[in-house]
Amino acid sequence: MKVTARIKIFLNSIKGKILALFLVALLVASGLTLLNIWTLSAVREQLNLSERYDDMLNGILEVRRYEKNLLIYGGAESLHEGLLYLDQTEAALISLSQDIAETNGPKSSHILEAFKDALTEYRKNFTVLANKQDSESIRASGKLLVDMAGQLISTKRGRIHQTIFEVSLLPFAYLGVFLALMVFLLKFITWSLLRPLSMIGKLTARVATGDFSPVDVREHHIEEVASLLDALNRMALELTAHQEDLLQARKIAAIGTLTAGVAHEMNNPLNNIVLSAETLLETHAELLDAEGRETLDDILAQAERARDIVRDLLDFSRTERASSFSPLSPEVIVKSSLALLKNNIMPAGLSVHLAIAPDLPQVDGNLRRVQQVFLNLMQNSIHATPPGGTIEISASAADDFVRFTVRDSGKGIDPEHLSHIFEPFFTTKEVGKGTGLGLAVTYSIVKRHNGRIEVESTPGAGTAFHVFLPKASSAPTTLAHRAENGKVEHSFQS
């Protein structure tokens, strides 16, 4: 079965099909050559048989010559020589019996018997001719033999001419076979090579215009072409998958340059506002009434909020790779991030469940930056999940990555918003409730860690963010806490 499968795979390749075509061409050429040799051999055999017919006729004519000698001169020597030629003629007739039957068809048996009877009659007449008796009978039987031999020779020559005519048609048959073979080759080349190459050209041109829709490779049975189209399809799928990432990276790079300058310029005025408000509150507190104190507190609160926005802008615009990357335990990342938000989760009335697979490899990154990723994701989950809901945080191995998942049971994200959630300043929250930078910053940090982030959401059924961080080169971390089912699971209820 393995040998048969390998042969089938080989024949489905271009090399196999070319070899098969060469073998077919060789077999056709060999067949035509053998046919030509056979026809020439048949013509040669017919010519040889024709010579034997002539020899038989010449033998009869020699007997007729001795017939005249006997009539004129007589003599035992002429009788003896004439009988020898009759024996040769009879032997030639016997040797040609099969060819006479093939040449003359259904009436051949009658012709052959008549010839034998005429030859027997002539022998009898020739024998008694030595006594010079009944010369008219021998002349008539001799003439009959000559006529019958001439008729056989005429029929044989007609058969030879027919054979030569048929042989003359063979070059046209060879030409027809050659043209049919050429048509087959052209069809094969067009169907198996030119058509797929044209399709590949159209596919690459389509990809160049931004159309990454795949091509159906099931109709292509050529192994190399199918493999190439499959590779192009995978390339198109990869380009489709990463096109949004490329666009997002360009947006972040463009907006980051702008926001970096704006954030630095805003820092100094905000610091002065906060410092002035705090100084006024400390030095003139006794002169302020309740309404004045409330106004100063509001100034400080809004200034602090503005400083948070500026800090988010600076985080978003920071493009350099952190220099303090080190191997980090997935369990430490998740638990330390969760500890920072525990005071926000408990009042919200949410249940948090952890499921961290054992012996996970470490990831390479900066702990503070990675914590910021999960803080942003968990804060979004807290805001999107109503009281009584759950937030699940899990970590597991996925090829060369460790996959972290933050899943909530909130209201989900509308499909028309999914393609924009990582864009800077895009938010679905009410005015004043969010800056739209949390997920943009998260996306930027994950990319700086050579990872990727994916989202799946069903309106009314919750949202799940999947963060893929590449494994570090160090050995896997051994976790201290394991459950009986093979996962580290922790949960706390509000």
Side-chain angles (χ1 to χ4, degrees), residues 9 23 46 67 88 115 119 125 175 244 252 268 273 280-281 353 357 362 378 425 468 477:
I9 292 174
L23 289 176
Q46 295 296 324
E67 173 192 329
Q88 292 177 5
F115 198 100
L119 189 60
N125 292 333
L175 179 61
E244 293 298 327
I252 289 176
N268 289 333
I273 291 173
L280 182 62
L281 189 60
H353 300 280
Q362 293 179 323
M378 286 188 283
F425 307 112
F468 295 83
T477 303

Side-chain angles (χ1 to χ4, degrees), residues 393-443:
I393 305 173
S394 62
S396 60
D399 295 330
D400 295 329
F401 296 86
V402 174
R403 178 175 61 188
F404 300 85
T405 300
V406 178
R407 186 185 304 273
D408 62 58
S409 58
K411 61 183 180 180
I413 303 173
D414 293 333
E416 62 269 19
H417 294 156
L418 274 177
S419 59
H420 303 288
I421 59 175
F422 295 112
E423 293 179 0
F425 307 112
F426 177 83
T427 181
T428 58
K429 297 177 182 179
E430 299 177 3
V431 178
K433 294 294 183 66
T435 63
L437 287 172
L439 288 178
V441 171
T442 297
Y443 178 91

Side-chain angles (χ1 to χ4, degrees), residues 53 93 96-116 148 152 155:
Y53 277 93
L93 179 63
L96 292 172
S97 298
Q98 183 177 356
D99 185 69
I100 292 172
E102 294 176 354
T103 304
N104 293 272
K107 61 181 181 178
S108 60
S109 59
H110 173 71
I111 294 174
L112 191 59
E113 290 298 326
F115 198 100
K116 288 180 180 180
M148 294 181 71
L152 290 175
T155 304

Side-chain angles (χ1 to χ4, degrees), residues 34-50 99 102 156 159-164 166-167 170:
L34 292 175
L35 179 61
N36 191 48
I37 293 174
W38 178 80
T39 53
L40 291 177
S41 176
V43 171
R44 186 182 298 111
E45 183 180 359
Q46 295 296 324
L47 291 174
N48 290 334
L49 289 172
S50 177
D99 185 69
E102 294 176 354
K156 185 62 181 176
R159 182 65 178 272
I160 291 174
H161 285 303
Q162 182 182 359
T163 303
I164 293 174
E166 292 174 354
V167 170
L170 285 179

Side-chain angles (χ1 to χ4, degrees), residues 60 63-73 118 121-126 128-129 132-147:
I60 295 173
V63 173
R64 297 297 310 275
R65 185 170 65 84
Y66 284 107
E67 173 192 329
K68 292 180 180 179
N69 289 341
L70 283 174
L71 288 173
I72 298 174
Y73 305 106
E121 180 68 19
Y122 184 81
R123 178 184 289 273
K124 183 176 67 173
N125 292 333
F126 186 81
V128 300
L129 186 63
K132 298 183 180 180
Q133 298 176 359
D134 200 7
S135 61
E136 292 298 327
S137 297
I138 194 170
R139 287 175 180 172
S141 60
K143 184 177 183 303
L144 179 60
L145 279 177
V146 172
D147 291 341

Side-chain angles (χ1 to χ4, degrees), residues 131-407:
N131 299 325
K132 298 183 180 180
Q133 298 176 359
D134 200 7
S135 61
E136 292 298 327
S137 297
I138 194 170
R139 287 175 180 172
S141 60
K143 184 177 183 303
L144 179 60
L145 279 177
V146 172
D147 291 341
M148 294 181 71
Q151 184 62 37
L152 290 175
I153 290 175
S154 177
T155 304
K156 185 62 181 176
R157 286 177 178 172
R159 182 65 178 272
I160 291 174
H161 285 303
Q162 182 182 359
T163 303
I164 293 174
F165 175 75
E166 292 174 354
V167 170
S168 66
L169 295 178
L170 285 179
F172 296 99
Y174 297 160
L175 179 61
V177 173
F178 176 75
L179 290 176
L181 185 61
M182 291 300 298
V183 169
F184 175 75
L185 287 175
L186 288 174
K187 184 177 180 181
F188 168 78
I189 293 173
T190 301
W191 179 260
S192 300
L193 296 177
L194 297 182
R195 184 171 175 268
L197 289 177
S198 175
M199 184 173 294
I200 291 171
K202 292 179 181 179
L203 176 61
T204 53
R206 196 171 64 190
V207 170
T209 61
D211 183 3
F212 303 128
S213 55
V215 175
D216 187 7
V217 301
R218 292 175 297 178
E219 61 180 20
H220 300 288
H221 304 293
I222 305 298
E223 181 184 4
E224 292 87 349
V225 174
S227 299
L228 180 58
L229 290 177
D230 186 58
L232 288 174
N233 280 340
R234 291 198 303 270
M235 179 190 72
L237 291 175
E238 289 293 329
L239 289 174
T240 302
H242 295 293
Q243 187 181 29
E244 293 298 327
D245 293 343
L246 293 174
L247 293 176
Q248 184 69 12
R250 290 180 180 178
K251 291 178 182 178
I252 289 176
I255 300 177
T257 303
L258 173 64
T259 56
V262 173
H264 283 293
E265 291 297 326
M266 290 179 64
N267 252 338
N268 289 333
L270 287 174
N271 288 334
N272 290 334
I273 291 173
V274 172
L275 182 61
S276 299
E278 289 178 345
T279 301
L280 182 62
L281 189 60
E282 291 176 359
T283 57
H284 302 286
E286 66 280 359
L287 300 177
L288 296 174
D289 55 10
E291 184 178 355
R293 287 178 176 275
E294 183 179 355
T295 300
L296 285 178
D297 289 338
D298 188 53
I299 291 174
L300 289 173
Q302 294 303 319
E304 187 63 32
R305 182 172 180 272
R307 290 172 65 177
D308 290 339
I309 294 174
V310 169
R311 184 168 56 251
D312 288 341
L313 288 172
L314 289 174
D315 288 337
F316 167 73
S317 64
R318 189 175 290 110
T319 57
E320 73 277 9
R321 181 181 176 90
S323 59
S324 58
F325 275 24
S326 60
L328 303 174
S329 166
E331 183 183 24
V332 172
I333 294 173
V334 172
K335 290 185 176 180
S336 62
S337 302
L338 187 59
L340 296 174
L341 281 177
K342 187 174 181 179
N343 292 332
N344 293 348
I345 295 174
M346 301 296 286
L350 304 176
S351 299
V352 178
H353 300 280
L354 299 184
I356 304 175
D359 299 327
L360 283 177
Q362 293 179 323
V363 297
D364 192 23
N366 180 276
L367 181 59
R368 188 177 69 84
R369 291 294 180 190
V370 175
Q371 284 177 335
Q372 186 175 359
V373 168
F374 292 102
L375 287 175
N376 291 339
L377 295 179
M378 286 188 283
Q379 282 178 338
N380 283 346
S381 295
I382 293 171
H383 295 155
T385 306
T390 59
I391 297 176
E392 299 177 2
I393 305 173
S394 62
S396 60
D399 295 330
D400 295 329
F401 296 86
V402 174
R403 178 175 61 188
F404 300 85
T405 300
V406 178
R407 186 185 304 273

